[in-house]
Amino acid sequence: MIHHDRTDADLIGLVNSGDESAFSVLFRRHESAVYGLALSIVRSSEDAEEVVGSAFLELWRQRRRVRFVDDSARPWLMVTVSHLCRNSRRGSMRYGRLLAKIPLPDPTPDHADEVDRVLDHRGHSREIHAALRDLREPEAAVVILCLIEELSMPEAARVLGLLVGTVKSRLFRAKSRMQGQLQHLRFEVEAAHEG
């Protein structure tokens, strides 16, 4: 049964009632956005695909407890992807340290071209994503919801299970930190407008 006109909350309700086809509609609806965010953080298409699979598996497991914003599961998925990516990066770093102790015959291929293509397609620069990756996880989640997904602070607070004041202070800290890292971009934009 096709349910493309249903909200995410409706689809999860159908899944909970035994209609598993509704879950495939959810997957197709959000897969591209979830993959784009994952790839921008982990910078490997294979790792990003693994994160996407894990995020939707977690959505399936947590389907009775998902917090919706305007009947959408996308904010919940984006925060979940952020958490999973950070865990993946930590695991990759540990694995990398282990591999550094073992001589390898061939270097790992660089996926930078694919990452650049995806980031350029989404209209975000590498510097912005690098600044986002450098944030602490709680601050990154707030930035993703409020600045990328454009949720209001009360909506982000609802998704994260926080007070609005906590979201506001995390967003302020994150913006201050990112602004310091991205200060050079502001000057480049101003110089381009003057010329």
Side-chain angles (χ1 to χ4, degrees):
M1 184 177 272
I2 298 176
H3 306 290
H4 296 290
D5 58 332
R6 302 288 188 109
T7 68
D8 292 354
D10 292 339
L11 291 171
I12 289 290
L14 290 169
V15 170
N16 289 336
S17 299
D19 183 354
E20 294 177 9
S21 67
F23 196 80
S24 64
V25 174
L26 273 171
F27 180 81
R28 285 190 303 275
R29 183 176 289 172
H30 299 294
E31 176 189 21
S32 178
V34 168
Y35 177 78
L37 177 61
L39 184 60
S40 72
I41 297 172
V42 297
R43 303 191 67 85
S44 158
S45 58
E46 292 171 355
D47 290 343
E49 288 171 5
E50 189 173 315
V51 166
V52 169
S54 296
F56 281 98
L57 177 61
E58 198 61 26
L59 177 62
W60 176 266
R61 288 181 183 158
Q62 301 290 328
R63 66 188 179 273
R64 297 187 191 283
R65 293 185 291 274
V66 171
R67 292 183 182 142
F68 298 97
V69 174
D70 295 329
D71 291 327
S72 175
R74 184 173 171 163
W76 185 92
L77 279 166
M78 298 305 248
V79 170
T80 301
V81 164
S82 175
H83 293 310
L84 291 169
C85 285
R86 290 180 193 289
N87 289 340
S88 175
R89 285 180 60 212
R90 280 193 290 269
S92 294
M93 289 181 350
R94 284 191 298 269
Y95 183 68
R97 286 192 297 269
L98 176 64
L99 285 181
K101 297 176 184 178
I102 303 169
L104 296 175
D106 296 320
T108 304
D110 183 10
H111 299 287
D113 291 340
E114 181 178 357
V115 172
D116 287 342
R117 180 185 59 76
V118 170
L119 294 179
D120 289 343
H121 176 70
R122 294 188 70 214
H124 302 294
S125 73
R126 282 183 278 164
E127 291 90 355
I128 292 171
H129 282 280
L132 181 61
R133 281 192 304 276
D134 289 342
L135 292 175
R136 290 182 25 240
E137 188 172 325
E139 293 170 351
V142 170
V143 168
I144 289 167
L145 291 176
C146 292
L147 300 182
I148 295 175
E149 290 299 311
E150 299 179 349
L151 296 182
S152 69
M153 286 188 205
E155 290 169 333
R158 194 168 58 226
V159 169
L160 297 170
L162 300 172
L163 297 173
V164 175
T166 304
V167 170
K168 187 175 183 176
S169 63
R170 286 182 184 175
L171 185 59
F172 176 80
R173 282 193 308 269
K175 287 168 82 175
S176 297
R177 186 170 177 191
M178 289 179 75
Q179 185 177 21
Q181 289 178 281
L182 301 173
Q183 189 68 21
H184 69 283
L185 290 179
R186 191 177 117 214
F187 292 122
E188 290 173 14
V189 169
E190 289 173 357
H193 287 299
E194 290 173 4

